[in-house]
Amino acid sequence: MNDEIPETHPRYKSLVIRERLRDFMEKGIVVPEGLIAHGRGEAFDYIFGEASQDFALESEKAAISLLMLSKNPVITVNGNVAALSYKEIVELHNVTGIKVEINLFHRSDERIKKIAELFQREGLTEIYGIHADKEIPGLVHNRRFADGNGIYSADTVFIPLEDGDRAMSLKNMGKKVIAIDLNPFSRTSITADISIIDEITRTIKNFIKIYEELKNLNESELKEILNKFDNKKNKVDAINLICEKLRYWQTDQKPHL
Ligand code: PTJ
């Protein structure tokens, strides 16, 4: 698949991800709009130096703590998320028990079937959202369809890659929301209780490592991590880094963060 991209290329990982999204678009899993959405994320990642910054790692630690404290957490998966991270999401499910629900903006039975098969081939037996029997109040688009045993009844919903109004509707239902979005200004980043400003493939890999570090902590130790976490400060750090980087490129002053 990647034979023409030399591993020594300075932007190798980014080029491999682009190629992967194109391949999964040809398979009917990613929609063409998904490539545009990825481009928006990539532009932010370029500024962040294509690396998980401290503010990202802190939010990832808080997110794992919240997932471990939750009784019924669900990760919601769209075409881009499935294409980029299905293997790691199954691994995350295997270690944390998080449920996996397919929820698509450009919803079709055919895409749902293809995405479900991807996860099934990786060994995931229970996939939610195939027969979405509930609607999230306040939404008019396709993301309103939810599984009564999945997102609809979850206490924590983990939303990667979505700039939308669903996060607010889920919060209005009393749920905790964790988001992954490289864009700190997206509606989902603004609304989430924990806004992870990091690239999805790095985030899910970090999650598995962080889980290993935290898995023996008790409830009060996990709660302490959450209490110390300041989502607003983290978002401000991300925005400050963007400003510093832009200034650096203007003036050659090294960014502090
Ligand atoms: O598969 P579907 O039909 O559900 O459609 C999926 C897309 C992604 C097309 C749909 O959800 C969409 O239009 O998303 P948005 O509203 O463009 O939001 C996607 C957000 O993800 C943007 O704010 C990007 O900054 C962010 N993003 C894109 N790629 C990455 C990312 N964040 C982290 N890692 C990425 N690789």
Tab-separated table of all heavy atoms in Angstrom, residues 120-171:
chain	number	residue	atom	x	y	z
A	120	GLN	N	-15.745	-6.544	13.063
A	120	GLN	CA	-15.991	-7.970	13.320
A	120	GLN	C	-14.780	-8.809	12.929
A	120	GLN	O	-14.378	-9.712	13.662
A	120	GLN	CB	-17.228	-8.448	12.544
A	120	GLN	CG	-18.509	-8.149	13.291
A	120	GLN	CD	-19.716	-8.025	12.378
A	120	GLN	OE1	-19.584	-8.034	11.141
A	120	GLN	NE2	-20.893	-7.899	12.963
A	121	ARG	N	-14.169	-8.455	11.796
A	121	ARG	CA	-12.978	-9.211	11.348
A	121	ARG	C	-11.841	-9.083	12.360
A	121	ARG	O	-10.971	-9.925	12.444
A	121	ARG	CB	-12.519	-8.710	9.971
A	121	ARG	CG	-13.311	-9.332	8.820
A	121	ARG	CD	-12.547	-9.217	7.514
A	121	ARG	NE	-12.300	-7.838	7.119
A	121	ARG	CZ	-13.148	-7.096	6.421
A	121	ARG	NH1	-14.295	-7.607	6.019
A	121	ARG	NH2	-12.864	-5.852	6.108
A	122	GLU	N	-11.864	-8.002	13.136
A	122	GLU	CA	-10.821	-7.767	14.146
A	122	GLU	C	-11.184	-8.454	15.470
A	122	GLU	O	-10.464	-8.331	16.449
A	122	GLU	CB	-10.679	-6.243	14.319
A	122	GLU	CG	-9.369	-5.730	14.802
A	122	GLU	CD	-8.126	-6.238	14.078
A	122	GLU	OE1	-8.147	-6.411	12.847
A	122	GLU	OE2	-7.139	-6.482	14.792
A	123	GLY	N	-12.344	-9.108	15.496
A	123	GLY	CA	-12.711	-9.897	16.677
A	123	GLY	C	-13.747	-9.251	17.587
A	123	GLY	O	-14.081	-9.812	18.637
A	124	LEU	N	-14.268	-8.076	17.207
A	124	LEU	CA	-15.284	-7.424	18.059
A	124	LEU	C	-16.637	-8.080	17.774
A	124	LEU	O	-17.102	-8.077	16.626
A	124	LEU	CB	-15.336	-5.922	17.752
A	124	LEU	CG	-16.213	-5.084	18.665
A	124	LEU	CD1	-15.628	-5.020	20.075
A	124	LEU	CD2	-16.338	-3.651	18.132
A	125	THR	N	-17.258	-8.628	18.816
A	125	THR	CA	-18.502	-9.365	18.567
A	125	THR	C	-19.739	-8.480	18.733
A	125	THR	O	-20.700	-8.606	17.983
A	125	THR	CB	-18.606	-10.601	19.495
A	125	THR	OG1	-18.282	-10.170	20.814
A	125	THR	CG2	-17.662	-11.706	19.061
A	126	GLU	N	-19.690	-7.561	19.706
A	126	GLU	CA	-20.871	-6.720	19.930
A	126	GLU	C	-20.634	-5.327	19.377
A	126	GLU	O	-19.776	-4.590	19.892
A	126	GLU	CB	-21.150	-6.621	21.425
A	126	GLU	CG	-22.360	-7.444	21.826
A	126	GLU	CD	-22.624	-7.339	23.307
A	126	GLU	OE1	-21.658	-7.426	24.090
A	126	GLU	OE2	-23.794	-7.161	23.657
A	127	ILE	N	-21.384	-4.968	18.351
A	127	ILE	CA	-21.226	-3.629	17.767
A	127	ILE	C	-22.589	-2.938	17.851
A	127	ILE	O	-23.606	-3.500	17.422
A	127	ILE	CB	-20.753	-3.724	16.306
A	127	ILE	CG1	-19.400	-4.437	16.269
A	127	ILE	CG2	-20.639	-2.342	15.666
A	127	ILE	CD1	-19.011	-4.942	14.929
A	128	TYR	N	-22.590	-1.731	18.388
A	128	TYR	CA	-23.846	-1.002	18.574
A	128	TYR	C	-24.079	-0.048	17.406
A	128	TYR	O	-23.152	0.291	16.678
A	128	TYR	CB	-23.813	-0.263	19.914
A	128	TYR	CG	-23.725	-1.232	21.078
A	128	TYR	CD1	-22.490	-1.729	21.497
A	128	TYR	CD2	-24.881	-1.694	21.704
A	128	TYR	CE1	-22.408	-2.648	22.542
A	128	TYR	CE2	-24.806	-2.612	22.747
A	128	TYR	CZ	-23.563	-3.089	23.156
A	128	TYR	OH	-23.488	-4.002	24.178
A	129	GLY	N	-25.327	0.361	17.238
A	129	GLY	CA	-25.649	1.367	16.230
A	129	GLY	C	-26.109	0.795	14.892
A	129	GLY	O	-26.507	1.536	14.006
A	130	ILE	N	-26.048	-0.529	14.755
A	130	ILE	CA	-26.462	-1.129	13.470
A	130	ILE	C	-27.989	-0.994	13.342
A	130	ILE	O	-28.509	-0.659	12.285
A	130	ILE	CB	-26.007	-2.609	13.382
A	130	ILE	CG1	-24.476	-2.667	13.438
A	130	ILE	CG2	-26.529	-3.268	12.101
A	130	ILE	CD1	-23.876	-4.051	13.529
A	131	HIS	N	-28.669	-1.251	14.452
A	131	HIS	CA	-30.129	-1.052	14.453
A	131	HIS	C	-30.447	0.051	15.460
A	131	HIS	O	-30.947	-0.224	16.560
A	131	HIS	CB	-30.848	-2.360	14.837
A	131	HIS	CG	-30.430	-3.508	13.982
A	131	HIS	ND1	-30.752	-3.586	12.653
A	131	HIS	CD2	-29.673	-4.588	14.253
A	131	HIS	CE1	-30.219	-4.679	12.144
A	131	HIS	NE2	-29.557	-5.306	13.086
A	132	ALA	N	-30.118	1.275	15.110
A	132	ALA	CA	-30.320	2.385	16.045
A	132	ALA	C	-31.818	2.578	16.262
A	132	ALA	O	-32.562	2.843	15.320
A	132	ALA	CB	-29.677	3.642	15.489
A	133	ASP	N	-32.262	2.396	17.497
A	133	ASP	CA	-33.699	2.394	17.792
A	133	ASP	C	-34.148	3.637	18.560
A	133	ASP	O	-35.293	3.755	18.937
A	133	ASP	CB	-34.045	1.124	18.596
A	133	ASP	CG	-33.149	0.967	19.830
A	133	ASP	OD1	-32.092	1.634	19.894
A	133	ASP	OD2	-33.511	0.193	20.740
A	134	LYS	N	-33.202	4.552	18.819
A	134	LYS	CA	-33.551	5.751	19.596
A	134	LYS	C	-33.072	6.989	18.853
A	134	LYS	O	-32.222	6.898	17.961
A	134	LYS	CB	-32.838	5.715	20.957
A	134	LYS	CG	-33.274	4.580	21.842
A	134	LYS	CD	-34.516	4.963	22.597
A	134	LYS	CE	-34.899	3.876	23.581
A	134	LYS	NZ	-36.241	4.006	24.069
A	135	GLU	N	-33.592	8.144	19.289
A	135	GLU	CA	-33.121	9.405	18.700
A	135	GLU	C	-32.643	10.334	19.814
A	135	GLU	O	-33.309	10.454	20.853
A	135	GLU	CB	-34.233	10.091	17.902
A	135	GLU	CG	-34.585	9.301	16.658
A	135	GLU	CD	-35.441	10.080	15.668
A	135	GLU	OE1	-35.516	11.333	15.783
A	135	GLU	OE2	-36.036	9.440	14.802
A	136	ILE	N	-31.512	10.994	19.574
A	136	ILE	CA	-30.991	11.951	20.559
A	136	ILE	C	-31.815	13.231	20.426
A	136	ILE	O	-31.893	13.803	19.326
A	136	ILE	CB	-29.490	12.226	20.295
A	136	ILE	CG1	-28.684	10.915	20.421
A	136	ILE	CG2	-28.949	13.294	21.240
A	136	ILE	CD1	-27.264	11.008	19.896
A	137	PRO	N	-32.458	13.675	21.515
A	137	PRO	CA	-33.326	14.864	21.406
A	137	PRO	C	-32.558	16.108	20.965
A	137	PRO	O	-31.402	16.296	21.349
A	137	PRO	CB	-33.857	15.051	22.835
A	137	PRO	CG	-33.513	13.808	23.582
A	137	PRO	CD	-32.399	13.117	22.868
A	138	GLY	N	-33.204	16.903	20.121
A	138	GLY	CA	-32.629	18.193	19.721
A	138	GLY	C	-31.805	18.148	18.448
A	138	GLY	O	-31.318	19.178	18.002
A	139	LEU	N	-31.629	16.980	17.859
A	139	LEU	CA	-30.831	16.891	16.625
A	139	LEU	C	-31.745	16.551	15.446
A	139	LEU	O	-32.687	15.766	15.594
A	139	LEU	CB	-29.764	15.794	16.749
A	139	LEU	CG	-28.658	15.999	17.784
A	139	LEU	CD1	-27.689	14.826	17.756
A	139	LEU	CD2	-27.901	17.292	17.510
A	140	VAL	N	-31.427	17.120	14.271
A	140	VAL	CA	-32.259	16.807	13.106
A	140	VAL	C	-31.507	15.965	12.082
A	140	VAL	O	-32.112	15.343	11.212
A	140	VAL	CB	-32.818	18.087	12.423
A	140	VAL	CG1	-33.905	18.724	13.246
A	140	VAL	CG2	-31.708	19.094	12.135
A	141	HIS	N	-30.157	15.926	12.171
A	141	HIS	CA	-29.400	15.178	11.154
A	141	HIS	C	-29.217	13.717	11.575
A	141	HIS	O	-29.657	13.304	12.653
A	141	HIS	CB	-28.060	15.871	10.889
A	141	HIS	CG	-27.297	16.172	12.144
A	141	HIS	ND1	-26.739	15.191	12.908
A	141	HIS	CD2	-27.040	17.345	12.781
A	141	HIS	CE1	-26.144	15.739	13.958
A	141	HIS	NE2	-26.325	17.052	13.907
A	142	ASN	N	-28.515	12.973	10.679
A	142	ASN	CA	-28.409	11.518	10.884
A	142	ASN	C	-27.702	11.098	12.164
A	142	ASN	O	-27.859	9.964	12.604
A	142	ASN	CB	-27.654	10.899	9.695
A	142	ASN	CG	-28.557	10.760	8.498
A	142	ASN	OD1	-29.771	10.613	8.648
A	142	ASN	ND2	-27.980	10.807	7.307
A	143	ARG	N	-26.905	12.015	12.733
A	143	ARG	CA	-26.207	11.613	13.956
A	143	ARG	C	-27.155	11.477	15.142
A	143	ARG	O	-26.760	11.057	16.218
A	143	ARG	CB	-25.080	12.609	14.274
A	143	ARG	CG	-23.865	12.385	13.383
A	143	ARG	CD	-22.620	13.028	13.934
A	143	ARG	NE	-22.520	14.369	13.550
A	143	ARG	CZ	-21.497	14.989	12.905
A	143	ARG	NH1	-20.511	14.477	12.634
A	143	ARG	NH2	-21.445	16.183	12.564
A	144	ARG	N	-28.444	11.831	14.905
A	144	ARG	CA	-29.416	11.696	16.011
A	144	ARG	C	-29.737	10.223	16.306
A	144	ARG	O	-30.161	9.891	17.399
A	144	ARG	CB	-30.715	12.447	15.685
A	144	ARG	CG	-31.590	11.806	14.613
A	144	ARG	CD	-32.796	12.696	14.341
A	144	ARG	NE	-33.736	12.140	13.380
A	144	ARG	CZ	-33.606	12.218	12.063
A	144	ARG	NH1	-32.548	12.811	11.531
A	144	ARG	NH2	-34.537	11.703	11.263
A	145	PHE	N	-29.528	9.339	15.329
A	145	PHE	CA	-29.894	7.935	15.543
A	145	PHE	C	-28.900	7.268	16.495
A	145	PHE	O	-27.692	7.305	16.263
A	145	PHE	CB	-29.939	7.181	14.206
A	145	PHE	CG	-30.980	7.738	13.277
A	145	PHE	CD1	-30.623	8.356	12.087
A	145	PHE	CD2	-32.333	7.672	13.611
A	145	PHE	CE1	-31.584	8.894	11.246
A	145	PHE	CE2	-33.306	8.207	12.769
A	145	PHE	CZ	-32.922	8.825	11.580
A	146	ALA	N	-29.443	6.675	17.553
A	146	ALA	CA	-28.561	6.080	18.564
A	146	ALA	C	-29.120	4.736	19.019
A	146	ALA	O	-30.317	4.466	18.885
A	146	ALA	CB	-28.448	7.024	19.766
A	147	ASP	N	-28.230	3.931	19.547
A	147	ASP	CA	-28.620	2.600	20.033
A	147	ASP	C	-29.054	2.705	21.497
A	147	ASP	O	-28.318	3.273	22.316
A	147	ASP	CB	-27.396	1.674	19.889
A	147	ASP	CG	-27.761	0.210	19.968
A	147	ASP	OD1	-28.514	-0.147	20.898
A	147	ASP	OD2	-27.298	-0.564	19.116
A	148	GLY	N	-30.232	2.161	21.791
A	148	GLY	CA	-30.756	2.211	23.159
A	148	GLY	C	-29.819	1.564	24.172
A	148	GLY	O	-29.771	1.957	25.341
A	149	ASN	N	-29.056	0.574	23.722
A	149	ASN	CA	-28.107	-0.095	24.626
A	149	ASN	C	-26.696	0.465	24.492
A	149	ASN	O	-25.766	-0.043	25.103
A	149	ASN	CB	-28.069	-1.601	24.332
A	149	ASN	CG	-29.400	-2.249	24.631
A	149	ASN	OD1	-29.986	-1.993	25.675
A	149	ASN	ND2	-29.892	-3.046	23.689
A	150	GLY	N	-26.539	1.470	23.646
A	150	GLY	CA	-25.212	2.060	23.418
A	150	GLY	C	-25.201	3.509	23.862
A	150	GLY	O	-25.430	3.826	25.041
A	151	ILE	N	-24.988	4.420	22.877
A	151	ILE	CA	-24.860	5.845	23.192
A	151	ILE	C	-26.033	6.348	24.045
A	151	ILE	O	-25.852	7.104	24.988
A	151	ILE	CB	-24.767	6.676	21.884
A	151	ILE	CG1	-23.433	6.408	21.182
A	151	ILE	CG2	-24.943	8.162	22.154
A	151	ILE	CD1	-23.324	7.011	19.791
A	152	TYR	N	-27.249	5.910	23.681
A	152	TYR	CA	-28.442	6.480	24.306
A	152	TYR	C	-28.450	6.275	25.822
A	152	TYR	O	-28.868	7.151	26.574
A	152	TYR	CB	-29.708	5.878	23.683
A	152	TYR	CG	-30.942	6.682	23.969
A	152	TYR	CD1	-31.241	7.825	23.216
A	152	TYR	CD2	-31.804	6.326	25.000
A	152	TYR	CE1	-32.358	8.583	23.489
A	152	TYR	CE2	-32.929	7.077	25.279
A	152	TYR	CZ	-33.199	8.209	24.515
A	152	TYR	OH	-34.310	8.959	24.785
A	153	SER	N	-27.961	5.119	26.268
A	153	SER	CA	-27.989	4.849	27.722
A	153	SER	C	-26.610	4.993	28.371
A	153	SER	O	-26.456	4.703	29.558
A	153	SER	CB	-28.547	3.444	27.982
A	153	SER	OG	-27.815	2.505	27.234
A	154	ALA	N	-25.600	5.442	27.604
A	154	ALA	CA	-24.234	5.555	28.150
A	154	ALA	C	-24.156	6.654	29.204
A	154	ALA	O	-24.931	7.617	29.168
A	154	ALA	CB	-23.263	5.879	27.013
A	155	ASP	N	-23.199	6.507	30.130
A	155	ASP	CA	-22.944	7.624	31.050
A	155	ASP	C	-21.822	8.513	30.511
A	155	ASP	O	-21.781	9.713	30.788
A	155	ASP	CB	-22.644	7.140	32.488
A	155	ASP	CG	-21.551	6.084	32.558
A	155	ASP	OD1	-21.064	5.632	31.511
A	155	ASP	OD2	-21.180	5.697	33.691
A	156	THR	N	-20.913	7.924	29.721
A	156	THR	CA	-19.830	8.711	29.110
A	156	THR	C	-19.758	8.369	27.627
A	156	THR	O	-19.744	7.191	27.257
A	156	THR	CB	-18.477	8.363	29.789
A	156	THR	OG1	-18.569	8.680	31.175
A	156	THR	CG2	-17.328	9.134	29.159
A	157	VAL	N	-19.745	9.410	26.788
A	157	VAL	CA	-19.637	9.175	25.343
A	157	VAL	C	-18.329	9.781	24.854
A	157	VAL	O	-18.027	10.951	25.109
A	157	VAL	CB	-20.841	9.771	24.568
A	157	VAL	CG1	-20.728	9.425	23.083
A	157	VAL	CG2	-22.153	9.244	25.119
A	158	PHE	N	-17.574	8.952	24.179
A	158	PHE	CA	-16.253	9.333	23.682
A	158	PHE	C	-16.400	9.584	22.173
A	158	PHE	O	-16.738	8.680	21.415
A	158	PHE	CB	-15.300	8.172	24.003
A	158	PHE	CG	-13.903	8.323	23.502
A	158	PHE	CD1	-13.363	9.557	23.170
A	158	PHE	CD2	-13.100	7.204	23.382
A	158	PHE	CE1	-12.062	9.664	22.715
A	158	PHE	CE2	-11.801	7.305	22.926
A	158	PHE	CZ	-11.288	8.532	22.590
A	159	ILE	N	-16.207	10.859	21.778
A	159	ILE	CA	-16.480	11.266	20.391
A	159	ILE	C	-15.198	11.684	19.689
A	159	ILE	O	-14.722	12.798	19.873
A	159	ILE	CB	-17.439	12.495	20.341
A	159	ILE	CG1	-18.655	12.294	21.232
A	159	ILE	CG2	-17.820	12.820	18.919
A	159	ILE	CD1	-19.636	13.477	21.203
A	160	PRO	N	-14.626	10.813	18.871
A	160	PRO	CA	-13.502	11.288	18.058
A	160	PRO	C	-13.984	11.909	16.745
A	160	PRO	O	-14.969	11.459	16.153
A	160	PRO	CB	-12.698	10.014	17.764
A	160	PRO	CG	-13.401	8.889	18.474
A	160	PRO	CD	-14.789	9.363	18.767
A	161	LEU	N	-13.303	12.942	16.296
A	161	LEU	CA	-13.457	13.532	14.951
A	161	LEU	C	-14.876	13.959	14.582
A	161	LEU	O	-15.526	13.343	13.737
A	161	LEU	CB	-12.973	12.531	13.886
A	161	LEU	CG	-11.491	12.533	13.556
A	161	LEU	CD1	-10.620	12.361	14.752
A	161	LEU	CD2	-11.173	11.485	12.526
A	162	GLU	N	-15.322	15.005	15.212
A	162	GLU	CA	-16.651	15.485	14.841
A	162	GLU	C	-16.791	16.934	15.274
A	162	GLU	O	-16.631	17.250	16.445
A	162	GLU	CB	-17.681	14.610	15.557
A	162	GLU	CG	-19.089	15.083	15.386
A	162	GLU	CD	-20.043	14.160	16.125
A	162	GLU	OE1	-19.963	12.938	15.917
A	162	GLU	OE2	-20.850	14.676	16.903
A	163	ASP	N	-17.045	17.815	14.325
A	163	ASP	CA	-17.327	19.197	14.679
A	163	ASP	C	-18.839	19.356	14.581
A	163	ASP	O	-19.366	19.629	13.514
A	163	ASP	CB	-16.591	20.138	13.710
A	163	ASP	CG	-16.903	21.588	13.994
A	163	ASP	OD1	-17.671	21.858	14.939
A	163	ASP	OD2	-16.395	22.447	13.273
A	164	GLY	N	-19.514	19.121	15.714
A	164	GLY	CA	-20.974	19.110	15.593
A	164	GLY	C	-21.701	19.505	16.854
A	164	GLY	O	-21.096	19.832	17.873
A	165	ASP	N	-23.031	19.439	16.749
A	165	ASP	CA	-23.900	19.837	17.865
A	165	ASP	C	-24.293	18.644	18.732
A	165	ASP	O	-24.985	18.788	19.726
A	165	ASP	CB	-25.164	20.535	17.336
A	165	ASP	CG	-25.764	19.814	16.137
A	165	ASP	OD1	-25.258	18.732	15.779
A	165	ASP	OD2	-26.733	20.337	15.555
A	166	ARG	N	-23.812	17.428	18.346
A	166	ARG	CA	-24.225	16.246	19.106
A	166	ARG	C	-23.670	16.271	20.530
A	166	ARG	O	-24.327	15.839	21.472
A	166	ARG	CB	-23.782	14.972	18.378
A	166	ARG	CG	-24.376	13.699	18.980
A	166	ARG	CD	-24.131	12.513	18.099
A	166	ARG	NE	-22.722	12.330	17.810
A	166	ARG	CZ	-22.101	11.162	17.801
A	166	ARG	NH1	-22.786	10.065	18.067
A	166	ARG	NH2	-20.830	11.069	17.502
A	167	ALA	N	-22.436	16.786	20.669
A	167	ALA	CA	-21.824	16.811	22.006
A	167	ALA	C	-22.731	17.566	22.981
A	167	ALA	O	-22.964	17.114	24.111
A	167	ALA	CB	-20.442	17.452	21.939
A	168	MET	N	-23.270	18.718	22.548
A	168	MET	CA	-24.137	19.514	23.427
A	168	MET	C	-25.423	18.747	23.745
A	168	MET	O	-25.871	18.723	24.899
A	168	MET	CB	-24.449	20.862	22.760
A	168	MET	CG	-25.272	21.798	23.612
A	168	MET	SD	-24.649	22.002	25.304
A	168	MET	CE	-23.384	23.239	25.074
A	169	SER	N	-26.001	18.103	22.726
A	169	SER	CA	-27.244	17.340	22.972
A	169	SER	C	-26.987	16.210	23.949
A	169	SER	O	-27.834	15.915	24.813
A	169	SER	CB	-27.787	16.754	21.665
A	169	SER	OG	-28.023	17.795	20.761
A	170	LEU	N	-25.823	15.563	23.842
A	170	LEU	CA	-25.508	14.461	24.764
A	170	LEU	C	-25.301	14.997	26.178
A	170	LEU	O	-25.714	14.382	27.159
A	170	LEU	CB	-24.272	13.700	24.282
A	170	LEU	CG	-24.494	12.880	22.993
A	170	LEU	CD1	-23.164	12.363	22.444
A	170	LEU	CD2	-25.442	11.711	23.246
A	171	LYS	N	-24.677	16.173	26.264
A	171	LYS	CA	-24.498	16.769	27.600
A	171	LYS	C	-25.851	17.149	28.198
A	171	LYS	O	-26.080	16.980	29.391
A	171	LYS	CB	-23.566	17.977	27.521
A	171	LYS	CG	-22.118	17.508	27.431
A	171	LYS	CD	-21.132	18.594	27.676
A	171	LYS	CE	-21.202	19.085	29.096
A	171	LYS	NZ	-20.076	19.999	29.389
